[in-house]
Amino acid sequence: MAHGTAQGTGPSAARVTSRDVARRAGVSQATVSLVLGDKWRGRVSERTADAVRAAARELGYRPNLAARSLRLGRTRTVLLVVPALTNEFFAHVYTGAARVAADHGFGVVLYPSPEGVGPARDPFDSARASLDGVIASSMAADALAAVRGGGLPLVMLDSDPDDPAAAATVNLDIGDGMRRAAEHLLGLGHRRIVHVAAAVGSWTFRVRARALAGAVRAVPGTVLHTERAALGVEEGRQAALRALTGPGPRPTALMCDDDILAAGACKAARRLGLRVPEDVSVTGVDDLALATAVEPELTTVTLPAQAVGAEGMRALMAVLDGEPAGDTTLPVELVVRDSSAPPPPGG
């Protein structure tokens, strides 16, 4: 473990080493290295790890990152590529990734791809010279060819787990979430359902559509129609308006691919004089702050975005250390609120 420097003035500002941390925590230097390198799981107890971190904080120990970077030949910088900064989900992904990166002495550069989920341009003259690795959320690996340049390790989040370009993937069990939402509505008695689907050609939305279609097929007499929309409140409103005013019997439930589309769907219902959920139920995905800001509050699928970012960064750190980093799938949860109810009589 490299030497570090204490913060502050006076005696406590003297150079603090990992040996000092080990002495304070009552453990070996090897244990300090494992804990502060975030490699302790399965090797030391959580109680010991907490004691080491507490000792490091009390002593003001900081790894000598400049020396370590020279030794390892690393920039200690990771690029996180996302389709957009306007979606709160990606802000939470960044928060989780940055927290784990900081524990390892790494920085994270957040890069919204100018083309959304399409090909991302290299934001540097040479990403290979400027970065140690790339994490990409909700994109395809082939869209990152220019950024990865000379073969930077890539970890994919919320993306196709069968993509061979990724050194590791971290996914949400989004299919299970969509099935749970569908089964919730089907259990309430809904048989005319519209999928307000994101008009985005990415893996996560294809999985949602397949899971919803599978759940509906399992219940005879259920009709599923799809209306596509770009990810925006107004686009969601227009798609829901088409669904609610189209020919044939009116749908009794609108299942939206995210909370933003769901907010637009609620808006469309109100403008038509329909009540949510008495006349039409609406569900979303994400559980953004928006989900509890609208009235009625949205039934939605909670996605642990911070955990996705954190697990993605842990996987990249493992890859950089030459350790195996398998694929991870995180569970999601259906949160039932006030925007869903049984269909109206005769519906």
Side-chain angles (χ1 to χ4, degrees), residues 68-158:
R68 186 186 294 177
S69 294
L70 286 172
R71 186 174 73 251
L72 299 177
R74 291 180 178 172
T75 65
R76 309 198 72 77
T77 304
V78 173
L79 186 70
L80 173 60
V81 186
V82 299
L85 288 181
T86 52
N87 191 316
E88 180 188 327
F89 175 83
F90 298 117
H92 292 310
V93 169
Y94 171 80
T95 299
R99 185 179 67 247
V100 173
D103 290 342
H104 289 267
F106 274 68
V108 180
V109 176
L110 181 62
Y111 179 51
S113 171
E115 307 303 325
V117 297
R121 297 193 295 270
D122 186 346
F124 306 95
D125 289 335
S126 170
R128 179 68 183 171
S130 307
L131 302 168
D132 285 327
V134 178
I135 299 177
S137 181
S138 312
M139 299 180 72
D142 59 7
L144 301 157
V147 175
R148 293 184 63 213
L152 284 168
L154 170 67
V155 172
M156 302 294 294
L157 314 179
D158 193 29

XYZ file of all heavy atoms in Angstrom, residues 68-158:
660
model
N 1.092 5.726 -7.146
C 0.429 4.497 -7.584
C 0.146 4.544 -9.080
O 0.299 3.551 -9.787
C -0.865 4.290 -6.809
C -1.533 2.954 -7.121
C -2.881 2.826 -6.463
N -2.780 2.790 -5.020
C -3.856 2.747 -4.224
N -5.060 2.762 -4.753
N -3.712 2.718 -2.929
N -0.257 5.703 -9.592
C -0.542 5.825 -11.016
C 0.708 5.567 -11.846
O 0.664 4.908 -12.886
C -1.097 7.228 -11.319
O -2.350 7.412 -10.700
N 1.851 6.112 -11.405
C 3.098 5.880 -12.124
C 3.445 4.399 -12.107
O 3.881 3.825 -13.105
C 4.227 6.699 -11.480
C 4.179 8.211 -11.749
C 5.235 8.905 -10.903
C 4.392 8.509 -13.225
N 3.237 3.760 -10.973
C 3.595 2.364 -10.832
C 2.722 1.475 -11.712
O 3.183 0.527 -12.324
C 3.470 1.941 -9.369
C 3.980 0.519 -9.109
C 3.975 0.187 -7.626
N 2.645 -0.025 -7.105
C 2.014 0.808 -6.284
N 2.574 1.947 -5.906
N 0.795 0.527 -5.837
N 1.445 1.791 -11.783
C 0.509 0.958 -12.525
C 0.338 1.404 -13.969
O -0.284 0.717 -14.762
C -0.866 0.966 -11.820
C -0.890 0.419 -10.399
C -2.288 0.556 -9.826
C -0.421 -1.020 -10.351
N 0.849 2.579 -14.318
C 0.669 3.092 -15.659
C -0.764 3.444 -15.961
O -1.250 3.217 -17.064
N -1.466 3.989 -14.981
C -2.882 4.297 -15.132
C -3.143 5.793 -15.037
O -2.409 6.524 -14.383
C -3.706 3.582 -14.054
C -3.748 2.073 -14.219
C -4.572 1.444 -13.112
N -4.661 -0.007 -13.277
C -5.192 -0.814 -12.379
N -5.695 -0.317 -11.270
N -5.231 -2.106 -12.591
N -4.236 6.215 -15.668
C -4.675 7.608 -15.559
C -5.608 7.803 -14.375
O -5.884 8.919 -13.977
C -5.424 8.034 -16.831
O -6.637 7.274 -16.935
C -4.577 7.790 -18.074
N -6.145 6.685 -13.852
C -7.107 6.688 -12.749
C -8.355 7.497 -13.099
O -8.935 8.189 -12.279
C -6.464 7.206 -11.446
C -5.161 6.493 -11.106
C -4.779 6.665 -9.667
N -5.645 5.903 -8.777
C -5.562 4.583 -8.577
N -4.678 3.887 -9.227
N -6.383 3.975 -7.738
N -8.755 7.387 -14.361
C -9.945 8.073 -14.851
C -10.807 7.097 -15.637
O -10.301 6.343 -16.466
C -9.575 9.265 -15.749
O -8.710 10.145 -15.030
C -10.816 10.031 -16.178
N -12.108 7.113 -15.355
C -13.071 6.252 -16.039
C -14.099 7.136 -16.735
O -14.522 8.160 -16.183
C -13.776 5.315 -15.032
C -14.907 4.543 -15.696
C -12.772 4.354 -14.405
N -14.490 6.749 -17.929
C -15.531 7.465 -18.669
C -16.857 6.738 -18.496
O -16.944 5.530 -18.718
C -15.174 7.533 -20.151
C -16.102 8.391 -21.031
C -15.919 9.866 -20.707
C -15.833 8.142 -22.510
N -17.878 7.467 -18.062
C -19.239 6.923 -17.978
C -20.058 7.550 -19.098
O -20.289 8.761 -19.108
C -19.869 7.242 -16.616
C -21.354 6.869 -16.458
C -21.584 5.380 -16.665
C -21.872 7.300 -15.087
N -20.457 6.736 -20.059
C -21.226 7.214 -21.212
C -22.702 6.912 -20.990
O -23.074 5.771 -20.673
C -20.751 6.537 -22.510
C -21.452 7.157 -23.721
C -19.238 6.665 -22.667
N -23.537 7.928 -21.135
C -24.985 7.766 -20.987
C -25.673 8.380 -22.194
O -25.101 9.239 -22.874
C -25.496 8.434 -19.685
C -24.855 7.803 -18.458
C -25.246 9.939 -19.704
N -26.903 7.968 -22.501
C -27.599 8.533 -23.656
C -27.988 10.004 -23.479
O -28.094 10.739 -24.458
C -28.851 7.659 -23.782
C -28.531 6.414 -23.036
C -27.628 6.833 -21.924
N -28.230 10.432 -22.237
C -28.707 11.803 -22.003
C -28.518 12.179 -20.544
O -28.419 11.313 -19.681
C -30.190 11.915 -22.377
N -28.466 13.471 -20.285
C -28.389 13.962 -18.908
C -29.740 14.406 -18.383
O -29.866 14.775 -17.215
C -27.413 15.145 -18.824
C -25.929 14.818 -18.967
C -25.104 16.092 -18.824
C -25.496 13.803 -17.931
N -30.758 14.372 -19.229
C -32.071 14.880 -18.829
C -32.876 13.866 -18.030
O -33.911 14.206 -17.475
C -32.880 15.294 -20.074
O -32.884 14.206 -21.006
C -32.253 16.511 -20.739
N -32.413 12.622 -17.983
C -33.132 11.586 -17.246
C -32.477 11.380 -15.889
O -31.284 11.084 -15.797
C -33.135 10.274 -18.049
C -34.082 9.239 -17.476
O -34.126 9.034 -16.273
N -34.834 8.586 -18.347
N -33.275 11.498 -14.855
C -32.796 11.360 -13.481
C -32.128 10.009 -13.212
O -31.220 9.899 -12.383
C -34.002 11.536 -12.551
C -33.739 11.421 -11.075
C -35.043 11.422 -10.291
O -36.006 12.097 -10.728
O -35.110 10.732 -9.262
N -32.547 8.976 -13.935
C -31.970 7.638 -13.749
C -30.457 7.667 -13.913
O -29.718 7.087 -13.113
C -32.596 6.675 -14.770
C -32.000 5.295 -14.773
C -32.410 4.339 -13.855
C -31.027 4.942 -15.707
C -31.859 3.059 -13.859
C -30.474 3.671 -15.710
C -30.894 2.736 -14.787
N -29.977 8.361 -14.944
C -28.546 8.370 -15.216
C -27.770 9.182 -14.181
O -26.599 8.906 -13.918
C -28.283 8.888 -16.630
C -28.904 8.021 -17.687
C -29.890 8.509 -18.524
C -28.534 6.686 -17.813
C -30.479 7.707 -19.487
C -29.117 5.863 -18.771
C -30.096 6.374 -19.608
N -28.422 10.160 -13.581
C -27.774 10.900 -12.488
C -27.516 9.976 -11.308
O -26.454 10.024 -10.674
C -28.647 12.082 -12.061
N -28.463 9.088 -11.022
C -28.284 8.137 -9.923
C -27.224 7.091 -10.263
O -26.456 6.665 -9.395
C -29.614 7.454 -9.599
C -30.639 8.377 -8.991
N -30.350 9.194 -7.924
C -31.941 8.616 -9.310
C -31.433 9.883 -7.593
N -32.400 9.556 -8.425
N -27.184 6.667 -11.540
C -26.137 5.735 -11.969
C -24.768 6.362 -11.724
O -23.851 5.725 -11.195
C -26.311 5.369 -13.457
C -25.075 4.620 -13.976
C -27.555 4.505 -13.659
N -24.633 7.629 -12.114
C -23.356 8.335 -11.923
C -22.990 8.415 -10.434
O -21.838 8.187 -10.056
C -23.437 9.744 -12.505
C -22.229 10.594 -12.138
C -21.035 10.471 -12.832
C -22.287 11.488 -11.073
C -19.922 11.221 -12.480
C -21.186 12.237 -10.712
C -20.006 12.094 -11.417
O -18.914 12.828 -11.050
N -23.965 8.734 -9.599
C -23.700 8.857 -8.160
C -23.141 7.556 -7.598
O -22.165 7.553 -6.847
C -24.991 9.249 -7.417
O -25.446 10.522 -7.902
C -24.748 9.340 -5.917
N -23.755 6.440 -7.954
C -23.283 5.147 -7.469
C -21.899 4.807 -7.986
O -21.034 4.324 -7.239
N -21.656 5.074 -9.274
C -20.354 4.780 -9.870
C -19.266 5.655 -9.270
O -18.163 5.172 -8.950
C -20.418 4.977 -11.382
N -19.550 6.941 -9.089
C -18.545 7.870 -8.574
C -18.172 7.551 -7.138
O -17.010 7.715 -6.731
C -19.064 9.300 -8.681
N -19.130 7.071 -6.356
C -18.845 6.739 -4.959
C -17.839 5.593 -4.868
O -16.870 5.656 -4.111
C -20.136 6.369 -4.242
C -19.955 6.128 -2.740
C -21.258 5.787 -2.055
N -21.781 4.506 -2.474
C -22.895 4.346 -3.183
N -23.606 5.386 -3.548
N -23.318 3.141 -3.521
N -18.049 4.541 -5.657
C -17.120 3.414 -5.640
C -15.780 3.808 -6.250
O -14.715 3.423 -5.754
C -17.730 2.217 -6.399
C -16.709 1.089 -6.551
C -18.967 1.710 -5.663
N -15.811 4.615 -7.311
C -14.562 5.061 -7.933
C -13.706 5.832 -6.939
O -12.485 5.640 -6.866
C -14.864 5.929 -9.155
N -14.351 6.702 -6.163
C -13.609 7.500 -5.173
C -12.952 6.602 -4.137
O -11.823 6.875 -3.689
C -14.543 8.497 -4.496
N -13.607 5.516 -3.758
C -13.018 4.587 -2.801
C -11.730 3.964 -3.342
O -10.863 3.548 -2.575
C -14.012 3.465 -2.464
C -15.188 3.962 -1.625
O -15.062 5.047 -1.030
O -16.217 3.267 -1.573
N -11.629 3.907 -4.659
C -10.444 3.324 -5.303
C -9.468 4.407 -5.777
O -8.474 4.085 -6.431
C -10.868 2.474 -6.499
C -11.560 1.196 -6.122
N -10.906 0.003 -5.972
C -12.858 0.941 -5.842
C -11.767 -0.942 -5.635
N -12.967 -0.400 -5.548
N -9.771 5.669 -5.487
C -8.895 6.742 -5.937
C -9.030 7.060 -7.410
O -8.104 7.588 -8.036
N -10.177 6.738 -7.990
C -10.437 7.020 -9.402
C -11.415 8.197 -9.529
O -12.234 8.432 -8.637
C -11.051 5.801 -10.093
C -10.055 4.810 -10.616
C -9.278 4.060 -9.747
C -9.901 4.617 -11.979
C -8.365 3.137 -10.219
C -8.983 3.696 -12.467
C -8.209 2.945 -11.591
N -11.340 8.885 -10.648
C -12.313 9.913 -10.989
C -13.202 9.418 -12.117
O -12.817 8.521 -12.877
N -14.395 9.986 -12.236
C -15.344 9.594 -13.277
C -15.702 10.812 -14.116
O -16.118 11.849 -13.585
C -16.630 8.996 -12.674
C -17.599 8.587 -13.780
C -16.301 7.800 -11.791
N -15.528 10.691 -15.418
C -15.956 11.730 -16.353
C -17.282 11.284 -16.949
O -17.382 10.192 -17.521
C -14.922 11.937 -17.476
C -15.437 12.953 -18.490
C -13.593 12.393 -16.894
N -18.308 12.109 -16.785
C -19.637 11.784 -17.299
C -19.785 12.354 -18.701
O -19.553 13.542 -18.927
C -20.707 12.365 -16.370
C -22.160 12.104 -16.745
C -22.462 10.613 -16.747
C -23.094 12.830 -15.778
N -20.157 11.502 -19.641
C -20.226 11.918 -21.044
C -21.570 11.533 -21.646
O -21.826 10.353 -21.887
C -19.090 11.256 -21.825
C -19.052 11.588 -23.302
C -19.084 12.908 -23.743
C -18.978 10.571 -24.253
C -19.030 13.210 -25.090
C -18.918 10.867 -25.611
C -18.949 12.186 -26.027
O -18.895 12.494 -27.359
N -22.461 12.510 -21.873
C -23.706 12.198 -22.577
C -23.422 12.096 -24.067
O -22.910 13.035 -24.674
C -24.601 13.403 -22.257
C -23.640 14.528 -22.005
C -22.375 13.927 -21.469
N -23.724 10.950 -24.658
C -23.461 10.775 -26.080
C -24.284 11.762 -26.900
O -25.506 11.842 -26.731
C -23.815 9.350 -26.512
O -23.747 9.234 -27.918
N -23.636 12.523 -27.787
C -24.397 13.496 -28.592
C -25.461 12.841 -29.457
O -26.431 13.477 -29.848
C -23.314 14.154 -29.463
C -22.026 13.904 -28.748
C -22.200 12.588 -28.059
N -25.276 11.559 -29.732
C -26.227 10.856 -30.600
C -27.189 9.974 -29.815
O -27.797 9.072 -30.372
C -25.451 9.991 -31.612
C -24.391 10.731 -32.402
C -24.951 11.909 -33.167
O -26.100 11.813 -33.646
O -24.246 12.919 -33.290
N -27.303 10.207 -28.514
C -28.179 9.367 -27.710
C -27.639 7.958 -27.626
O -26.502 7.764 -27.229
N -28.442 6.960 -28.046
C -27.962 5.579 -27.994
C -27.156 5.219 -29.232
O -26.667 4.111 -29.356
C -29.144 4.588 -27.842
C -29.859 4.817 -26.534
C -30.104 4.686 -29.022
N -27.000 6.173 -30.167
C -26.241 5.917 -31.387
C -24.744 6.020 -31.148
O -24.290 6.154 -30.014
N -23.938 5.989 -32.236
C -22.484 6.008 -32.102
C -21.991 7.219 -31.316
O -22.358 8.360 -31.607
C -22.003 6.067 -33.561
C -23.119 5.463 -34.350
C -24.378 5.871 -33.630
N -21.183 6.960 -30.298
C -20.648 8.031 -29.447
C -19.280 8.457 -29.971
O -18.432 7.620 -30.273
C -20.527 7.549 -28.008
N -19.058 9.755 -30.078
C -17.768 10.271 -30.540
C -16.779 10.283 -29.387
O -17.153 10.439 -28.224
C -17.932 11.689 -31.103
C -18.836 11.745 -32.331
C -18.719 13.085 -33.024
N -19.202 14.190 -32.210
C -20.459 14.618 -32.217
N -21.367 14.009 -32.951
N -20.831 15.640 -31.461
N -15.507 10.146 -29.706
C -14.449 10.187 -28.700
C -14.334 11.618 -28.180
O -14.019 12.530 -28.940
C -13.124 9.745 -29.338
C -11.996 9.616 -28.319
O -12.151 10.104 -27.184
O -10.957 9.038 -28.677
N -14.610 11.859 -26.885
C -14.541 13.230 -26.363
C -13.115 13.705 -26.141
O -12.894 14.863 -25.791
C -15.303 13.129 -25.038
C -15.087 11.717 -24.602
C -15.024 10.899 -25.851
N -12.148 12.825 -26.332
C -10.745 13.160 -26.131
C -10.002 13.006 -27.457
O -10.492 12.378 -28.383
C -10.095 12.234 -25.090
C -10.824 12.186 -23.787
C -11.744 11.195 -23.519
C -10.597 13.152 -22.813
C -12.427 11.150 -22.319
C -11.281 13.114 -21.608
C -12.191 12.120 -21.355
N -8.823 13.574 -27.552
C -7.992 13.316 -28.731
C -7.687 11.830 -28.828
O -7.628 11.258 -29.898
C -6.676 14.107 -28.641
C -6.895 15.600 -28.834
O -7.899 15.955 -29.472
O -6.076 16.383 -28.345
N -7.494 11.214 -27.674
C -7.266 9.772 -27.627
C -7.803 9.242 -26.310
O -7.195 9.447 -25.258
C -5.778 9.439 -27.748
O -5.565 8.064 -27.475
N -8.937 8.568 -26.364
C -9.511 8.023 -25.138
C -8.545 7.034 -24.503
O -8.433 6.941 -23.282
C -10.849 7.342 -25.443
N -7.830 6.287 -25.337
C -6.911 5.277 -24.824
C -5.838 5.907 -23.945
O -5.437 5.345 -22.920
C -6.261 4.537 -25.997
C -5.258 3.461 -25.598
C -5.952 2.306 -24.915
N -4.999 1.294 -24.468
C -5.309 0.276 -23.693
N -6.532 0.118 -23.264
N -4.406 -0.594 -23.321
N -5.380 7.110 -24.330
C -4.327 7.775 -23.562
C -4.879 8.501 -22.345
O -4.127 8.836 -21.427
C -3.580 8.762 -24.457
N -6.175 8.763 -22.334
C -6.764 9.593 -21.278
C -7.525 8.798 -20.230
O -7.848 9.333 -19.171
C -7.732 10.617 -21.898
O -7.104 11.352 -22.927
N -7.843 7.534 -20.525
C -8.749 6.769 -19.670
C -8.186 5.401 -19.331
O -7.326 4.870 -20.043
C -10.094 6.561 -20.395
C -10.855 7.802 -20.843
C -11.979 7.394 -21.780
C -11.397 8.564 -19.651
N -8.708 4.831 -18.256
C -8.389 3.450 -17.913
C -9.489 2.496 -18.343
O -9.254 1.298 -18.514
C -8.184 3.315 -16.401
C -6.844 3.882 -15.960
O -5.881 3.805 -16.732
O -6.775 4.426 -14.842
N -10.706 3.002 -18.487
C -11.805 2.126 -18.866
C -13.063 2.919 -19.143
O -13.124 4.130 -18.912
N -14.062 2.222 -19.667
C -15.332 2.848 -20.050
C -16.483 2.054 -19.439
O -16.483 0.821 -19.453
C -15.494 2.882 -21.586
C -16.840 3.489 -21.968
C -14.356 3.664 -22.230
N -17.441 2.778 -18.883
C -18.709 2.190 -18.454
C -19.793 2.870 -19.283
O -19.783 4.093 -19.427
C -18.967 2.421 -16.959
C -17.868 1.772 -16.118
C -20.325 1.878 -16.550
C -18.015 2.026 -14.623
N -20.689 2.097 -19.834
C -21.755 2.672 -20.654
C -23.098 2.159 -20.175
O -23.258 0.966 -19.914
C -21.553 2.327 -22.125
N -24.039 3.064 -20.043
C -25.364 2.705 -19.550
C -26.391 2.790 -20.661
O -26.487 3.806 -21.362
C -25.772 3.639 -18.403
O -27.052 3.282 -17.905
N -27.147 1.692 -20.836
C -28.303 1.671 -21.739
C -27.925 1.961 -23.181
O -28.646 2.647 -23.894
C -29.371 2.674 -21.260
O -29.621 2.519 -19.883
N -26.766 1.433 -23.599
C -26.302 1.611 -24.972
C -25.780 0.281 -25.489
O -25.565 -0.656 -24.725
C -25.199 2.675 -25.040
C -25.643 4.043 -24.563
S -24.317 5.260 -24.664
C -24.202 5.486 -26.444
N -25.546 0.204 -26.793
C -24.956 -0.993 -27.390
C -23.446 -0.812 -27.486
O -22.950 0.294 -27.698
C -25.540 -1.233 -28.778
N -22.711 -1.912 -27.339
C -21.248 -1.824 -27.362
C -20.733 -1.288 -28.686
O -19.742 -0.561 -28.732
C -20.653 -3.200 -27.071
N -21.417 -1.617 -29.796
C -20.907 -1.152 -31.082
C -21.055 0.358 -31.251
O -20.424 0.955 -32.122
C -21.586 -1.897 -32.245
C -23.102 -1.735 -32.256
O -23.642 -0.940 -31.452
O -23.762 -2.415 -33.059
N -21.859 0.981 -30.405
C -21.974 2.446 -30.451
C -20.791 3.129 -29.780
O -20.662 4.344 -29.836
C -23.276 2.889 -29.772
N -19.925 2.340 -29.150
C -18.822 2.906 -28.372
C -17.467 2.641 -29.007
O -16.425 2.819 -28.374
C -18.847 2.319 -26.959
C -20.153 2.607 -26.218
C -20.371 1.581 -25.128
C -20.151 4.007 -25.650
N -17.455 2.232 -30.269
C -16.203 1.858 -30.928
C -15.203 3.012 -30.916
O -14.016 2.821 -30.629
C -16.483 1.410 -32.358
N -15.658 4.233 -31.213
C -14.741 5.362 -31.277
C -14.188 5.717 -29.903
O -13.023 6.082 -29.762
C -15.447 6.582 -31.875
N -15.010 5.591 -28.875
C -14.572 5.935 -27.519
C -13.564 4.922 -27.005
O -12.551 5.274 -26.392
C -15.783 6.004 -26.567
C -15.323 6.231 -25.138
C -16.741 7.111 -27.007
N -13.806 3.651 -27.277
C -12.947 2.599 -26.734
C -11.599 2.563 -27.433
O -10.608 2.109 -26.856
C -13.642 1.244 -26.875
C -14.883 1.115 -26.014
C -15.445 -0.270 -26.135
N -14.493 -1.251 -25.630
C -14.377 -2.473 -26.139
N -15.079 -2.833 -27.179
N -13.519 -3.322 -25.609
N -11.551 3.038 -28.654
C -10.278 3.173 -29.360
C -9.461 1.900 -29.360
O -9.821 0.905 -29.969
N -8.346 1.928 -28.645
C -7.399 0.817 -28.673
C -7.739 -0.308 -27.737
O -6.829 -0.960 -27.217
N -9.000 -0.568 -27.481
C -9.366 -1.725 -26.691
C -9.493 -1.482 -25.212
O -9.176 -2.354 -24.404
N -9.950 -0.306 -24.807
C -10.180 -0.044 -23.388
C -11.199 -1.024 -22.837
O -12.170 -1.365 -23.513
C -10.704 1.387 -23.194
C -9.697 2.519 -23.313
C -10.418 3.857 -23.389
C -8.741 2.513 -22.132
N -11.021 -1.492 -21.599
C -12.018 -2.389 -21.017
C -13.370 -1.695 -20.902
O -13.441 -0.517 -20.547
C -11.441 -2.730 -19.639
C -10.405 -1.702 -19.362
C -9.882 -1.248 -20.688
N -14.409 -2.435 -21.203
C -15.759 -1.881 -21.252
C -16.680 -2.678 -20.351
O -16.724 -3.914 -20.421
C -16.284 -1.933 -22.685
C -17.767 -1.610 -22.906
C -18.048 -0.134 -22.587
C -18.165 -1.922 -24.346
N -17.421 -1.979 -19.507
C -18.480 -2.580 -18.696
C -19.800 -1.961 -19.131
O -19.920 -0.735 -19.192
C -18.247 -2.352 -17.185
C -19.459 -2.819 -16.382
C -16.989 -3.088 -16.724
N -20.762 -2.804 -19.440
C -22.050 -2.332 -19.925
C -23.106 -2.442 -18.828
O -23.187 -3.455 -18.128
C -22.502 -3.171 -21.125
C -21.533 -3.182 -22.296
S -21.349 -1.572 -23.080
C -22.997 -1.325 -23.753
N -23.919 -1.388 -18.703
C -25.009 -1.356 -17.730
C -26.340 -1.322 -18.476
O -26.478 -0.587 -19.458
C -24.904 -0.116 -16.838
C -23.536 0.231 -16.252
C -23.637 1.509 -15.430
C -23.000 -0.918 -15.413
N -27.314 -2.083 -17.990
C -28.649 -2.055 -18.583
C -28.555 -2.254 -20.095
O -29.170 -1.518 -20.866
C -29.351 -0.732 -18.242
C -30.845 -0.759 -18.539
O -31.440 -1.850 -18.467
O -31.413 0.311 -18.846
